[in-house]
């Protein structure tokens, strides 16, 4: 097979089915229109014109303007040479519509289609009046219908183009919204995981600390005071039961949407009203904890109540673990549109604490809880100022910054605003 034939076959294989159908439809429409309007169906006139116009449409996607110009030129050549006697605009309808509907950037198809159409009509009017001697009335009647057909054709093509643009913009908007929803979902999942991590840290850390303290008390008082040992073991059992309940609630949150637990989980009892029970669990013979509350704890909204409870829980857990303190004071002031809580102990100076107070999730978790509600949290030595915990820092601040001051004890202070809360 020679090269020209090979290239032709390859080109035909690359033609889209829609273009082939449009080309075939144009050939049939030109021949049928000529017959219907009483024109000549010559083998040397209408047939080659129809085939040529159909063949040109195979390249409409890549060269729409060139296809229209060559199609109009073919019509003019066939009409002026007398090979056909009907039609100026309608035989080229498909080429006009394809160019007018072209919506690619930098290719304004509609103005070109309108300009070429007007130029062809002007040439047709001059040809019929001067060359054919057609009277103005007959020329107006003939070309008026062609002009109306051109206007209708361009209007339909423009409507189709605008519809394609609208669909493209709608699809782009839907895709953008879907991506934004995915990002928002990912953000919420990350926040939920962070919240669950905080809860797990608080529940597990607090439980292990309290159980350890009570077991130590039980071991020390087993021989001398069995009743005190039994009370310590009972407290440890209560703390363990509460921790299991809280962990079950967290597992319930992690369940897949379609899963259902065998029994409805109990909600964890954590808030300002439960601070007294928390202090009682943490109090041991070696660590005296006092609680002072002003205001109505039950009136504080649940988010702020839970955050303050967790701050006190984590602060007391750090005191029991790291400070060697013998006394701690918890003060809660409710009113003035906010809740203020301070936890102070008389433990060893911060320079003697292990990386005081345990850099990691403890202080960071407290700060993140408070900052999420628009509040502030500070932590540091009671003697030489405080270290700011803003931004969820790792908890390495130590008052003056050197961590070796002589002040004793540690102070954690949190202020949580409560909008609309009575002063």
């Amino acid at each position: 097979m020679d090269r020209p034939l090979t290239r032709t076959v390859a080109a035909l294989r690359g033609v889209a089915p829609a273009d082939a159908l449009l080309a075939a439809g144009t050939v049939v429409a030109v021949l049928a229109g000529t017959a219907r309007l009483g024109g000549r169906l010559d083998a040397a006139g209408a047939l080659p014109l129809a085939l040529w116009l159909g063949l040109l449409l195979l390249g409409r996607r890549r060269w729409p303007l060139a296809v229209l110009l060559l199609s109009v030129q073919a019509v003019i050549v066939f009409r002026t040479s007398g090979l056909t006697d009907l039609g100026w605009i309608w035989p080229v309808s498909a080429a006009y519509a394809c160019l007018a509907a072209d919506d690619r950037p930098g290719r304004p198809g509609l103005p070109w289609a309108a300009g070429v159409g007007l130029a062809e009509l002007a040439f047709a009017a001059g040809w019929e009046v001067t060359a054919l001697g057609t009277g103005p009335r007959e020329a107006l009647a003939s070309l008026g219908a062609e002009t109306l057909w051109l206007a209708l054709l361009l209007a339909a093509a423009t409507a189709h183009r605008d519809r394609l643009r609208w669909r493209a913009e709608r699809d782009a908007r839907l895709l953008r919204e879907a991506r934004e929803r995915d990002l928002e979902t990912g953000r919420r999942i990350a926040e939920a995981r962070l919240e669950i991590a905080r809860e797990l840290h608080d529940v597990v850390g607090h439980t292990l600390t309290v159980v350890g303290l009570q077991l130590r008390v039980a071991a020390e008082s087993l021989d001398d005071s069995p009743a005190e040992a039994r009370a310590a073991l009972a407290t440890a059992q209560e703390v363990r039961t509460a921790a299991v309940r809280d962990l079950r609630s967290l597992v319930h949150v992690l369940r897949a949407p379609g899963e259902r637990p065998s029994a409805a989980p109990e909600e964890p009892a954590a808030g300002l009203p439960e601070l007294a029970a928390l202090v009682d669990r943490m109090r041991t013979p070696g660590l005296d904890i006092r609680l002072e509350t002003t205001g109505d704890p039950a009136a504080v909204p649940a988010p702020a109540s839970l955050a303050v409870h967790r701050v006190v829980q984590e602060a007391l857990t750090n005191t029991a673990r790291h400070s060697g303190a013998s006394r701690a004071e918890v003060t809660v002031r409710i009113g003035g549109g906010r809740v203020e809580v301070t936890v102070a102990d008389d433990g060893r100076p911060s320079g003697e604490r292990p990386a005081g107070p345990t850099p990691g999730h403890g202080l960071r978790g407290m700060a993140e809880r408070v900052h999420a509600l628009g509040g502030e949290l500070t932590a540091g030595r009671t003697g030489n100022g405080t270290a700011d915990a803003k931004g969820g820092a790792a908890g390495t601040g130590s008052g003056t910054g050197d961590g070796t001051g002589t002040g004793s004890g540690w102070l954690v202070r949190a202020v949580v605003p409560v909008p609309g809360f009575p002063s």
Side-chain angles (χ1 to χ4, degrees):
M1 186 179 294
D2 57 358
R3 290 183 179 179
L5 184 57
T6 302
R7 288 195 296 266
T8 303
V9 172
L12 291 176
R13 288 178 179 176
V15 174
D19 295 343
L21 290 176
L22 183 61
T26 298
V27 173
V28 174
V30 171
L31 296 177
T34 302
R36 180 66 179 83
L37 297 176
R40 299 197 310 270
L41 287 175
D42 297 338
L47 181 59
L49 176 61
L51 293 174
W52 176 246
L53 295 178
L55 183 63
L56 287 174
L57 288 174
L58 297 178
R60 69 180 184 91
R61 295 181 185 270
R62 297 184 60 183
W63 309 288
L65 179 57
V67 168
L68 176 60
L69 293 176
L70 291 175
S71 299
V72 170
Q73 184 183 28
V75 170
I76 292 176
V77 169
F78 275 76
R79 286 297 305 270
T80 55
S81 62
L83 297 176
T84 60
D85 54 357
L86 288 176
W88 291 95
I89 297 295
W90 66 263
V92 203
S93 297
Y96 274 112
C98 291
L99 180 59
D102 189 15
D103 195 29
R104 283 170 286 184
R107 305 179 70 169
L110 179 61
W112 276 103
V116 172
L118 293 176
E120 185 181 9
L121 288 173
F123 176 84
W127 172 263
E128 291 193 2
V129 172
T130 58
L132 300 181
T134 305
R137 184 183 298 272
E138 290 78 7
L140 180 62
S142 175
L143 297 178
E146 298 266 19
T147 304
L148 292 177
W149 174 252
L150 176 63
L152 179 62
L153 193 66
L154 296 182
T158 303
H160 176 69
R161 181 200 62 188
D162 293 342
R163 180 173 177 272
L164 293 179
R165 286 181 177 176
W166 173 79
R167 289 181 59 183
E169 293 174 357
R170 182 199 61 184
D171 293 343
R173 184 181 69 254
L174 293 177
L175 181 60
R176 183 171 61 254
E177 292 176 353
R179 289 176 177 173
E180 292 175 354
R181 285 195 301 269
D182 291 341
L183 291 176
E184 179 66 16
T185 300
R187 184 185 65 81
R188 291 182 179 179
I189 290 175
E191 291 178 354
R193 288 175 176 172
L194 179 60
E195 184 66 24
I196 292 172
R198 292 176 189 152
E199 293 291 337
L200 286 173
H201 174 272
D202 294 344
V203 171
V204 175
H206 171 71
T207 302
L208 293 177
T209 300
V210 174
V211 170
L213 290 174
Q214 298 300 330
L215 290 178
R216 185 174 63 186
V217 171
E220 293 175 351
S221 59
L222 184 60
D223 296 331
D224 300 333
S225 180
E228 184 177 349
R230 284 194 296 270
L233 292 176
T235 301
Q237 181 64 26
E238 291 176 0
V239 173
R240 176 260 177 198
T241 302
V244 170
R245 179 193 59 204
D246 292 353
L247 290 176
R248 284 178 179 174
S249 299
L250 292 176
V251 171
H252 173 66
V253 173
L254 294 175
R255 286 180 181 271
E259 297 182 22
R260 291 293 181 269
S262 56
E266 301 179 32
E267 291 296 328
L272 286 175
E274 289 73 37
L275 281 182
L278 172 66
V279 170
D280 289 340
R281 291 196 302 267
M282 297 290 296
R283 186 182 292 117
T284 65
L287 177 60
D288 181 29
I289 305 176
R290 298 180 181 180
L291 172 64
E292 179 184 351
T293 303
T294 59
D296 184 9
V300 179
S305 182
L306 174 61
V308 172
H309 181 98
R310 293 306 190 197
V311 167
V312 174
Q313 176 180 294
E314 181 63 26
L316 291 179
T317 299
N318 287 336
T319 295
R321 281 180 174 176
H322 309 297
S323 70
S326 61
R327 187 179 68 256
E329 295 182 359
V330 180
T331 305
V332 180
R333 295 184 177 88
I334 304 170
R338 67 180 189 172
V339 178
E340 180 181 352
V341 58
T342 59
V343 180
D345 63 54
D346 63 347
R348 65 174 69 94
S350 63
E352 301 176 10
R353 297 191 185 205
T358 59
H361 295 291
L363 184 58
R364 180 187 297 119
M366 287 191 289
E368 288 174 347
R369 285 182 182 277
V370 173
H371 296 156
L373 298 175
E376 295 183 357
L377 184 138
T378 55
R381 294 194 306 275
T382 58
N384 293 328
T386 61
D388 193 2
K390 290 182 179 180
T396 57
S398 56
T400 59
D402 56 4
T404 59
T406 59
S408 63
W410 194 261
L411 173 69
V412 175
R413 178 178 179 270
V415 179
V416 179
V418 183
F421 196 73
S423 300

